[in-house]
Amino acid sequence: MESARETRPAVAVGAPASKKVQERSKSHRHRRWRKGKTKASRLTHSMDLRTMTQSLVTLAEDNMAFFSSQGPGETARRLSGVFAGVREQALGLEPALGRLLSVAHLFDLDAETPANGYRSLVHTARCCLVHLLHKSRYVASNRRSIFFRASHNLAELEAYLAALTQLRALAYYAQHLLATNRPGRLFFEGDEGVTADFLREYVTLHKGCFYGRCLGFQFTPAIRPFLQTISIGLVSFGEHYKRNETGLGVTASSLFTSGRFAIDPELRGAEFERIIQNLDVHFWKAFWNITEIEVLSSLANMASATVRVSRLLSLPPKAFEMPLTADPKLMVTISPPLAHTGPGPVLVRLISYDLREGQDSEELSSLVRSEGPRSLELRPRPQQAPRSRSLVVHIHGGGFVAQTSKSHEPYLKSWAQELGTPILSIDYSLAPEAPFPRALEECFYAYCWAVKHCALLGSTGERICLAGDSAGGNLCFTVSLRAAAYGVRVPDGIMAAYPATMLQSAASPSRLLSLMDPLLPLSVLSKCVSAYAGGETEDHSDSDQKALGMMGLVRRDTALLFRDLRLGASSWLNSFLELSRHKSHPNSVPVAEPMRRSVSEAALAQPEGLLGMDSLKSLTLHDLSLRGSSETADTPELSLSAETLGPSTPSAVNFLLGPEDAPEEAEARDEPRELSTKDRVCSVGSAFPEGFHPRRSSQGSIRMPLYSLPIVKNPFMSPLLAPDSMLQTLPPVHIVACALDPMLDDSVMFARRLRSLGQPVTLHVVEDLPHGFLSLAALCRETRQAAALCVERIRLVLNPPGPSAPTTPPV
């Protein structure tokens, strides 16, 4: 024994070859451990819900009994208590999840696409149960070891118990939606009083537990370090934003200067919750635009594909003519954007992997706008590539309030390389400074300009695809609808990644995921849509005014002044247009005339019975259809829309209505808010079983702007609510959605509507990735695969399979 002890160290510290052997052995053991853990994880995920719950309950009871016998110590007492809580919540959650899972298939697009908000909630709860099961097994195996870190494991168990408790509340809310909603519908269409009560309960739930130790537990593991970095940056940015009054002077270096948030997950979660509930849309605009800071954008471009052309163009605000698709001999005028700020240039970015014919022409060069030292200018090349037969017109996301094509340039360069086609990305004006319909007008104008001048962009324009993500996906649909309304060429297809198709506030099971989503929290969604709808009416308390400082107050008051002037002018112009409309005979307007009207003009025309209301916020489907003919004027052909919209009044209650706003709104209507007996039985208060109490937020009442405005029912804002006659004008649609995205139900219901109309549509739902995965395309294998799927869908539009061609082109 002694000789063995003496020779063993000599071998360990001997020649370098021995070190390599030791390292290989250590690496082999690590691989075996990882392989065993992965195998155990797969086995756990393959368990049915009941078996998993029973295994967790058994382990929890065993751990609870062990720590109860360890004496009166505080840590042992808390460990025993947390396992008792895990047992209670798991037993209560399993039946609710089982009921949701039993009906979830009724809401799928088809058998090949098993995806909807109910499935996503069940999957998220399973992820939490799986983590608790692994942790309980670990504790049971190591609780007697001297290396067992009791405090660390206690903190993690308490965090996941809080998450499990809140997920149980969401499961009950989903059951409530299932009981009160119409069969087969994912968006709530019930009584507005029930909706207000539902939201009043929902917004008070504690959210901080999802932003600390549990951050991103539902996503693929490769995403979680990135989300942690973002969360640390967000809370640090929030501190600097508050300190700098309006956020001026906040730089990329200030994002990660608060080390206390990095080492204290609970503190970070609480601060994250405070920020999402209280800071306004200007904060989120500033934070999301961080990626466009020179240093960060340069780093992103260094890691992206190298292209020959990346030029920012400024399209002058000049009207031009385009031929009608039905009769190319007839022309229609495409006017420059006019809404809110009057005529102005539209910025677009041309990206091309190869230098193609027309891209170095004098006419195109005259439109180039300098971007400073970073600007990528064309490098001369002896030979030019011929024009591509196709063109991609891209519209970026950003919640209608943030980002530009510069933020999305890295993956657009990859697209240009893989597709071998020029890409024109549109930099539309952003809310709240430029609310609806300014962005739509600019995107439509740029799309029409691209169709007319495709030769300058290096394309023959034989095939044109509209592509966009999130808010950009919404604009892709509405631009195509407007092109059809004008009678000009619609794109050959649309690729929309995780699009927003329902901006009207409505509860759905996937929207419940906003309680835990670090990228799309509920209040942020509310503020973005409210800003885009032109109804940003945030009530700043005294504490907020102190935080804003003098410059912040000046900025806020100036913005409110301009908003009031704009809305007042809209109201006056609406009265004038109404008077003119009543004086003229209905048949005296030519059929082609409505196609020449901008959406902003149409937005000012109100139906009878709505006079005296704010015109910009009182739109109906017929007003915004831009057809002006009897085709839709007197027909109730609204399909889903007519059933979903209800009365078009400003009091339409919505899912994102703040709890403090609901009573005032009811008071203004002079309507009783008491629920009927049936509604009382199904009320949200009774959704929870006796004895169950979810955790409530400690941040006070959430401050969300009121935007229950009829304008959000406009099909050019919420294409899901468009009548059948409008949706039938869309080209083939390809949607790539995320299973864990609060916007998932937008994609599922939109695809179902198109499928019911016989429209060509595909829906692919990627697993375990967050909203906005295109901007994370280079992060990990899963995001690269999802981005490649988007490219494949675009290729289907640009190169449709022929009789002898393969059904799915290679990526």
Side-chain angles (χ1 to χ4, degrees):
M1 290 288 289
E2 291 296 324
S3 60
R5 285 199 187 103
E6 290 171 358
T7 57
R8 213 172 282 157
V11 174
V13 297
S18 300
K19 286 185 178 180
K20 291 180 180 177
V21 170
Q22 189 179 26
E23 289 172 0
R24 279 199 301 268
S25 176
K26 183 178 179 181
S27 175
H28 179 66
R29 287 196 304 271
H30 180 72
R31 283 197 303 271
R32 280 195 312 175
W33 176 81
R34 292 285 299 176
K35 187 176 180 182
K37 185 177 179 182
T38 303
K39 186 176 181 181
S41 178
R42 287 175 181 170
L43 183 64
T44 307
H45 277 282
S46 66
M47 286 185 185
D48 65 85
L49 197 59
R50 180 161 303 223
T51 304
M52 185 193 307
T53 302
Q54 289 175 348
S55 300
L56 178 59
V57 167
T58 301
L59 282 166
E61 289 174 343
D62 178 58
N63 284 321
M64 184 172 55
F66 173 82
F67 289 109
S68 296
S69 65
Q70 295 303 300
E74 175 66 16
T75 302
R77 184 187 65 78
R78 288 173 61 185
L79 279 167
S80 177
V82 78
F83 280 113
V86 168
R87 177 185 180 278
E88 177 188 352
Q89 299 304 330
L91 288 173
L93 180 60
E94 189 266 329
L97 294 182
R99 283 191 285 272
L100 294 179
L101 202 56
S102 67
V103 298
H105 66 280
L106 301 175
F107 302 88
D108 295 333
L109 174 65
D110 51 42
E112 288 72 36
T113 317
N116 59 68
Y118 292 114
R119 289 186 184 274
S120 299
L121 277 174
V122 173
H123 174 79
T124 304
R126 275 183 62 96
C127 289
C128 190
L129 290 169
V130 164
H131 187 91
L132 282 168
L133 184 57
H134 284 318
K135 179 57 65 175
S136 299
R137 284 174 177 164
Y138 174 83
V139 171
S141 301
N142 297 275
R143 62 198 181 195
R144 297 180 184 277
S145 170
I146 60 173
F147 300 107
F148 179 69
R149 296 188 297 166
S151 298
H152 169 78
N153 286 281
L154 172 62
E156 188 167 355
L157 284 164
E158 286 181 336
Y160 275 89
L161 172 59
L164 191 68
T165 304
Q166 303 306 84
L167 284 166
R168 185 180 172 190
L170 294 187
Y172 289 137
Y173 284 150
Q175 280 187 295
H176 178 69
L177 285 175
L178 195 61
T180 56
N181 207 2
R182 299 180 59 189
R185 302 292 169 83
L186 287 171
F187 287 101
F188 182 71
E189 303 169 16
D191 180 81
E192 58 186 45
V194 177
T195 307
D197 287 345
F198 177 90
L199 187 62
R200 185 177 297 106
E201 283 280 320
Y202 177 74
V203 297
T204 62
L205 289 179
H206 170 62
K207 309 160 193 67
C209 63
F210 294 111
Y211 304 133
R213 294 178 189 272
C214 302
L215 183 71
F217 73 91
Q218 68 271 38
F219 300 124
T220 185
I223 294 288
R224 294 171 197 168
F226 168 79
L227 292 177
Q228 184 173 7
T229 303
I230 288 296
S231 69
I232 295 172
L234 176 69
V235 294
S236 301
F237 187 86
E239 280 200 331
H240 286 271
Y241 183 88
K242 184 169 59 176
R243 195 174 301 139
N244 287 279
E245 296 178 348
T246 62
L248 299 175
V250 179
T251 61
S253 61
S254 68
L255 283 178
F256 310 102
T257 55
S258 298
R260 60 199 179 101
F261 293 126
I263 62 176
D264 191 338
E266 281 73 30
L267 178 65
R268 184 171 70 243
E271 180 66 8
F272 199 111
E273 182 176 9
R274 185 195 70 79
I275 286 174
I276 64 174
Q277 291 198 179
N278 295 300
L279 292 187
D280 62 12
V281 72
H282 298 283
F283 167 80
W284 294 99
K285 179 192 286 282
F287 181 71
W288 288 337
N289 284 337
I290 279 291
T291 55
E292 301 198 3
I293 290 177
E294 189 66 35
V295 175
L296 296 182
S297 63
S298 298
L299 289 174
N301 278 285
M302 286 172 61
S304 61
T306 302
V307 296
R308 299 292 299 180
V309 181
S310 180
R311 312 182 87 180
L312 187 66
L313 311 177
S314 179
L315 308 183
K318 297 179 180 177
F320 55 87
E321 302 287 323
M322 283 194 69
L324 295 176
T325 305
D327 188 352
K329 295 179 181 179
L330 298 178
M331 307 297 286
V332 62
T333 301
I334 304 299
S335 300
L338 298 171
H340 305 302
T341 55
V346 179
L347 299 181
V348 295
R349 184 181 300 276
L350 175 63
I351 299 174
S352 180
Y353 183 71
D354 296 305
L355 174 61
R356 298 184 178 274
E357 292 180 19
Q359 293 177 344
D360 60 350
S361 64
E362 291 184 9
E363 186 177 354
L364 188 70
S365 298
S366 67
L367 302 176
V368 172
R369 175 169 172 172
S370 174
E371 293 184 84
R374 180 194 164 278
S375 179
L376 297 176
E377 296 297 336
L378 290 174
R379 291 172 287 177
R381 198 181 208 189
Q383 291 184 346
Q384 299 176 348
R387 288 186 174 90
S388 169
R389 62 183 295 270
S390 53
L391 176 69
V392 175
V393 178
H394 171 263
I395 307 177
H396 68 80
F400 302 103
V401 302
Q403 300 192 338
T404 66
S405 61
K406 188 175 177 181
S407 311
H408 298 250
E409 192 177 6
Y411 74 78
L412 290 178
K413 288 181 175 180
S414 299
W415 285 9
Q417 180 181 18
E418 295 175 43
L419 293 168
T421 185
I423 297 175
L424 190 74
S425 185
I426 304 170
D427 284 342
Y428 53 89
S429 296
L430 301 171
E433 294 79 10
F436 177 85
R438 183 72 188 194
L440 173 57
E441 289 190 356
E442 291 184 353
C443 291
F444 176 68
Y445 180 81
Y447 164 77
C448 291
W449 186 92
V451 172
K452 185 177 180 66
H453 300 90
C454 57
L456 295 178
L457 305 176
S459 171
T460 60
E462 294 175 46
R463 302 287 299 180
I464 296 179
C465 177
L466 264 178
D469 67 303
S470 191
N474 174 288
L475 289 167
C476 284
F477 295 135
T478 55
V479 163
S480 185
L481 291 173
R482 195 174 187 206
Y486 267 69
V488 299
R489 175 182 176 179
V490 298
D492 296 287
I494 296 173
M495 192 291 294
Y498 37 88
T501 66
M502 171 67 117
L503 299 190
Q504 182 190 9
S505 311
S508 86
S510 76
R511 296 285 172 92
L512 296 177
L513 296 173
S514 63
L515 186 79
M516 69 195 77
D517 196 289
L519 301 176
L520 283 182
L522 175 67
S523 61
V524 179
L525 286 173
S526 167
K527 290 163 185 171
C528 289
V529 177
S530 178
Y532 184 52
E536 189 184 26
T537 56
E538 298 185 33
D539 179 25
H540 297 270
S541 63
D542 293 338
S543 60
D544 293 329
Q545 293 178 3
K546 291 176 184 176
L548 280 173
M550 182 58 67
M551 288 301 298
L553 289 172
V554 170
R555 184 196 66 182
R556 186 203 68 192
D557 293 339
T558 303
L560 291 175
L561 172 64
F562 278 111
R563 190 200 70 209
D564 293 340
L565 288 174
R566 170 174 56 81
L567 295 181
S570 299
S571 181
W572 173 84
L573 184 55
N574 169 70
S575 302
F576 176 78
L577 291 176
E578 273 297 324
L579 183 61
S580 303
R581 186 163 71 98
H582 282 293
K583 286 182 178 179
S584 61
H585 192 273
N587 297 327
S588 63
V589 182
V591 175
E593 181 57 25
M595 293 191 293
R596 300 176 182 270
R597 301 168 63 202
S598 70
V599 176
S600 57
E601 291 176 78
L604 300 176
Q606 296 194 49
E608 294 181 13
L610 292 180
L611 296 176
M613 300 177 186
D614 186 351
S615 60
L616 191 62
K617 306 175 183 181
S618 304
L619 302 174
T620 63
L621 296 176
H622 291 165
D623 295 322
L624 271 295
S625 65
L626 295 179
R627 294 193 178 272
S629 64
S630 58
E631 179 183 345
T632 57
D634 298 316
T635 10
E637 188 188 350
L638 299 186
S639 183
L640 174 68
S641 316
E643 300 165 357
T644 353
L645 295 183
S648 191
T649 65
S651 60
V653 171
N654 49 80
F655 180 46
L656 301 181
L657 170 63
E660 70 274 15
D661 295 323
E664 289 139 353
E665 190 182 3
E667 217 172 74
R669 292 193 311 267
D670 293 324
E671 293 179 5
R673 296 194 66 257
E674 289 79 19
L675 301 177
S676 65
T677 307
K678 179 182 177 182
D679 287 335
R680 285 182 185 278
V681 173
C682 298
S683 68
V684 174
S686 63
F688 298 148
E690 186 177 354
F692 172 70
H693 302 288
R695 305 190 181 199
R696 299 296 176 180
S697 175
S698 61
Q699 298 297 328
S701 61
I702 191 168
R703 188 169 288 114
M704 292 191 300
L706 171 65
Y707 73 100
S708 54
L709 312 172
I711 195 171
V712 297
K713 300 177 182 180
N714 177 345
F716 288 95
M717 279 194 74
S718 299
L720 180 61
L721 302 180
D724 294 351
S725 57
M726 291 181 68
L727 292 182
Q728 286 169 339
T729 66
L730 287 175
V733 170
H734 302 282
I735 301 175
V736 180
C738 307
L740 302 177
D741 183 0
M743 295 290 185
L744 170 63
D745 290 337
D746 294 55
S747 296
V748 175
M749 286 302 295
F750 195 68
R752 288 178 63 183
R753 277 213 66 196
L754 293 178
R755 179 74 60 86
S756 69
L757 297 173
Q759 291 289 105
V761 58
T762 67
L763 172 65
H764 190 98
V765 182
V766 298
E767 303 289 339
D768 303 331
L769 291 180
H771 185 94
F773 65 75
L774 277 176
S775 296
L776 313 176
L779 190 63
C780 61
R781 176 176 56 87
E782 291 86 353
T783 54
R784 286 193 295 271
Q785 290 175 342
L789 181 64
C790 295
V791 174
E792 178 191 344
R793 293 301 186 258
I794 296 175
R795 189 176 282 117
L796 279 175
V797 175
L798 302 182
N799 304 295
S804 59
T807 305
T808 304
V811 178

